[in-house]
Amino acid sequence: MNRLFLLLPFLIFSCSQIKQISKSEESKLILELLEKYIVHDSLYETRTINKYLLPYEYYEQEYSEDGDLAPPPYGYGSKNEFDIINSIELNPFFSDSASIVHVKHQLLNSEKIAKKHKLSTLDIVNLAMNNEDQDSWYSFYLPIFNADSSAVYMQYDFYPNGFGGFGWGNGAVLLKENGEWKYHDFIPGWIN
């Protein structure tokens, strides 16, 4: 019971630091971030974009009988809050206690949140998207914000010859500087 009273102020403080925005503001922000990401990493040449954001698959940390950390489940979409904060590129922006709680909340609710947003309103004309090749496409994951929304982690998967074949995925960190989102760092992902 005493632990609960010690934890309660932390949880109240953490939740009070998280800025709430409306669904339309959230959608505009997601589209703005994706457009910056697409342009910066030149993800617009002869490709199609999946109109749905992908959710993350949250997993709990598991340990072996020897106390060693077990590997995460297979797949680049499997994440937990420790994957985010243990990344060298992300640690400076996501390692405070409020961000850890916020990241976990976003990951746990990513399926529900991702369903609310369609990417069909991305401005493919201004992005110079060329959707001629319907067999290759990008799928973007729900952006993950730190507690004060000053940093965001973004991730995509790319399949040049259809789903399940050869492909790769990467991530990036964008930072909000003087009210504008700026691309900060590339995070290498997977390839098969």
Side-chain angles (χ1 to χ4, degrees), residues 47 92 114-115 124 145:
R47 307 294 184 243
K115 283 181 180 179
I124 60 173
F145 294 88

Side-chain angles (χ1 to χ4, degrees), residues 46 48 74 96 103 149 157 160:
T46 319
T48 301
Y74 178 76
D96 62 281
V103 166
S149 296
D157 291 340

Side-chain angles (χ1 to χ4, degrees), residues 3-18 95-102 104 147:
R3 288 184 185 174
L4 180 62
F5 288 120
L6 291 173
L7 189 58
L8 192 57
F10 165 74
L11 291 174
I12 292 170
F13 175 75
S14 296
C15 293
S16 69
Q17 298 299 309
I18 300 167
S95 61
D96 62 281
S97 57
S99 289
I100 293 169
V101 171
H102 188 53
K104 182 175 182 176

